[in-house]
Each structure stands twice: as C-alpha cells, then as structure tokens.
Amino acid sequence: MTRVSAIAPLSTQLSNPQGGGGFRRRGLKILGMNIVLIVNPTSGPDNNAQLLPSLIAALKKQGIDAEICITNPEEDGQGLAAAAAKAGADLVIVAGGDGTIEAVARGLVHTQTALGIIPQGTRNNIAASLNIPTDLDQAVQVLKAGDRRLFDMGKANHHYFMEVVGIGLEATLFPHGDSVKEGMKSNLWTAIKSFCLAIKTFFQFKHHGLVLRFDGRKIYLRTLQVNVCNSSRYGVEFSLAPHAQMDDGKLDLIYMDKPSKWEHLRQFFAAMRGKHLPHARLRLYQTTAVEVSSYRPLDVHADGECIGTTPVMVEIVPQAIAICVPPPTLLEAFAPEIVLETTSESADAGQATQASP
C-alpha cells in the first residue's frame, strides 16, 4: 500500500537518508526501482485539498507504492530531489506546476535519477513541451509505461533552467505577474494593484542598448527584451520559439531590434496563440551559448525566477536529465485523433531552418 512518511528537515535527510522521514531505499518499487514522489499541494489555480488522496489513488491503481515528500515555502523541491538522488532513488516523481517541476529538475541535473512528471499546475507548459498528458491517470501511466529519454537543460551563469531566460522588460514584469497570480488565489485587491503596477512598468520601460556575442558574432541592438528558449512554451502559454526542442542540443535566441511598444504587444499576443507575426526586425537564431551584456544593468529571469542583472552567459547543457515521456504508441492510446498531428509537428520542427538577418 501507499506509504506516506513525515518529512524530516532537509539537513537530517542529507546526513541520515535512512532515518526519520528520509528517502528509504525500501521505498516505491517498479521493476526493482526506488522511487520518491514530491508534491506541491498548492499548485494550480486553487488549493486542492483532495490532491494528495487523488495522487495516492492513481499511483495505487498502477501498483505504485510511494515515499511522499511535501514542498513548503522554505523548500521548493530542489533540495528534496537532490537528497533523493543522493540516497539512491532511481526515479523522482514531481506533482506540481512548472515552478515545482523546474525546482525538482535542478536537483536532479547530472545524477543517475530520472524525473517523472504529474502536471498539476495552471499552465503546465513543460508537460505540453514533452507531450505529457495533464490527465492524472494518463500521467501516471507514463511513469510506468513511458520511455526514459535524456533532455537538455539551460544554464544562465550558474542557474539551471528548463524553459526560458528573459532579459529586460519581461524579467522586470515577472514579479508583478507572480503577485497577480497569487492575488487571484487569496486577495483580489492585491491582484488588481499588481496588475496596475505592471501596466505602469510596461509603459515606463525604455529601449536599452545590448550586445549579443554568440557563434563568432557580435550584434549591437536596441530593444525591450531578449529571450533564450530551451522549450517551445513558457509563462502564459507563450510560444516565442515554437520549433524549440528540449533534446536538440540548441537554444533558441529571439529578439526584435527597435520595436515599438505596439509591435512588442502584437508579437506577444500572437505568441500566446502559438503564432509568429511577420516582422522585418524579428530575429531567431539557434546557438549553444550566448553572452548578453547591456550598457545599463537589466533584470534577468530564468523560468520566472529573478537571477540578477546583465551581463549573463546563457548556455545549453546537453543531455542533462532523464525524463519519463510517452512514446507515440502511448500517445495514440490516450488520444488517437491527435497523435498524427503531434508526429507531424515534430517532423516539421526537425526540418525547420532558422532565420538570420
């Protein structure tokens, strides 16, 4: 049966992985593997009191018995994941939104422990990029019958990321976006004030001079922001780099030179619909590393987390983490009417050529 243990402080788990609420090697077993489940009970648009019982029931249905760890405001999952890997876990399953998945992934980079994903967030961009279903029972089936494939992570200075690095306007706006999101859950007035502050910030933000260095190039530009993507979706379902793949050993670099605020808004609203508007100054490159500097320090975020200001070096870390993903046969069993479309999109992405000025 499913086993839920009390969680000891992280320092106790690291120093004594066999005791207390640590990661016991006799934990969940699938084909002889030791598995840990990390749960964020606050993921999603509303707090779901039935999340943990639902997870336990879905795992039990597939014959999975889990050592369960709960995140909290002081522990976002990265330390729990790192401790699980150190204790010898073969698989760490994370149930939460994109932020929790990213934190757990950072704890597993360059370890022998694979990552399993049960999407429970508001947007579930990582799951969409990896074709992992948001249906709970189907996501658990992927853990048992899916493939384990190696995927890339990005690194901005010393910070690992899965989705995107944003430099400039977007990074300055992200804290306001987080306040709006949290306010919608608990305090509508806070959400309204944060939204108004975001609008004010947008209109006050000016173009900045930046320098990009990559692949022997040195590009000077004036812009509102630069994005470096590892995945095809992020944020409010933005798709700035629709052909980006998390296993191609490349990052997608996107920017517009001297855009007006109106042009910037049009591009981002189009990106929310998965489209790119034709624009003479829109640039998209693929590279393995890019250095971004600016004449005045600009805010930098990685997967929505502020990591400081420019200059920043962003690089790909190939095959950094193993993730459980559904093979085409499993996708067809879940949704036979969309598997052909998914396969076609993957083929198109592999053949896409990147534009250059």
Side-chain angles (χ1 to χ4, degrees):
M1 21 184 328
T2 302
R3 183 163 49 81
V4 183
S5 65
I7 302 304
L10 181 59
S11 58
T12 302
Q13 295 179 33
L14 287 170
S15 61
N16 184 21
Q18 298 297 325
F23 300 100
R24 303 179 182 88
R25 292 183 180 276
R26 66 176 186 278
L28 176 154
K29 301 279 186 179
I30 301 179
L31 300 177
M33 296 187 300
N34 302 302
I35 304 176
V36 171
L37 171 66
I38 298 175
V39 181
N40 181 354
T42 65
S43 291
D46 300 301
N47 293 339
N48 183 2
Q50 294 303 309
L51 174 60
L52 189 54
S54 298
L55 288 169
I56 292 172
L59 292 171
K60 185 176 181 180
K61 185 176 179 181
Q62 293 295 325
I64 299 175
D65 173 26
E67 178 85 18
I68 300 176
C69 303
I70 309 297
T71 65
N72 58 61
E74 289 72 41
E75 172 49 63
D76 61 2
Q78 180 174 345
L80 293 171
K86 184 176 181 179
D90 298 290
L91 174 66
V92 168
I93 304 166
V94 54
D98 290 323
T100 307
I101 294 168
E102 290 150 2
V104 170
R106 289 195 296 271
L108 299 180
V109 172
H110 295 318
T111 72
Q112 299 300 309
T113 303
L115 174 67
I117 296 173
I118 301 178
Q120 294 292 311
T122 304
R123 301 298 176 183
N124 299 312
N125 291 312
I126 294 173
S129 295
L130 296 172
N131 291 322
I132 296 172
T134 56
D135 178 82
L136 176 57
D137 289 330
Q138 291 180 355
V140 173
Q141 288 182 55
V142 172
L143 301 176
K144 191 166 186 178
D147 293 335
R148 296 185 179 206
R149 290 172 47 200
L150 290 171
F151 288 90
D152 308 328
M153 295 278 284
K155 187 166 70 169
N157 290 341
H158 302 293
H159 186 96
Y160 287 98
F161 67 93
M162 296 188 81
E163 296 178 274
V164 65
V165 163
I167 301 145
L169 175 60
E170 183 178 85
T172 302
L173 288 175
F174 247 106
H176 299 305
D178 287 341
S179 295
V180 171
K181 180 179 176 181
E182 293 305 313
M184 292 298 292
K185 292 182 180 181
S186 57
N187 189 323
L188 184 58
W189 179 239
T190 298
I192 293 171
K193 288 194 297 183
S194 298
F195 180 76
C196 292
L197 283 172
I199 296 297
K200 180 180 178 181
T201 299
F202 176 80
F203 284 106
Q204 289 182 340
F205 197 90
K206 305 297 183 183
H207 291 86
H208 289 266
L210 291 91
V211 180
L212 309 180
R213 296 178 176 86
F214 64 97
D215 298 342
R217 304 173 189 242
K218 186 176 183 180
I219 297 176
Y220 296 88
L221 67 150
R222 291 192 64 82
T223 191
L224 297 171
Q225 74 179 56
V226 171
N227 288 94
V228 188
C229 299
N230 182 47
S231 67
S232 59
R233 265 178 48 170
Y234 75 97
V236 192
E237 299 181 12
F238 289 137
S239 184
L240 285 181
H243 299 300
Q245 299 180 70
M246 296 176 67
D247 60 353
D248 62 355
K250 299 284 187 179
L251 294 167
D252 286 57
L253 170 65
I254 306 104
Y255 66 88
M256 289 179 65
D257 196 8
K258 301 183 183 70
S260 68
K261 294 285 181 67
W262 171 240
E263 290 171 326
H264 186 80
L265 280 176
R266 288 185 68 224
Q267 286 293 341
F268 268 75
F269 280 120
M272 289 176 66
R273 303 192 304 272
K275 298 179 179 180
H276 263 209
L277 298 177
H279 196 288
R281 294 192 299 275
L282 180 65
R283 298 289 181 261
L284 171 61
Y285 299 91
Q286 280 198 322
T287 185
T288 57
V290 56
E291 181 184 0
V292 183
S293 56
S294 57
Y295 296 105
R296 294 183 180 178
L298 291 176
D299 291 328
V300 179
H301 83 84
D303 287 346
E305 181 177 340
C306 180
I307 61 169
T309 60
T310 51
V312 59
M313 171 61 77
V314 188
E315 56 191 313
I316 197 70
V317 184
Q319 300 185 349
I321 187 170
I323 305 177
C324 297
V325 294
T329 53
L330 198 54
L331 285 175
E332 185 174 9
F334 293 154
E337 70 277 6
I338 67 169
V339 69
L340 292 179
E341 179 182 345
T342 301
T343 304
S344 175
E345 289 176 352
S346 299
D348 291 342
Q351 297 172 2
T353 57
Q354 303 304 313
S356 61

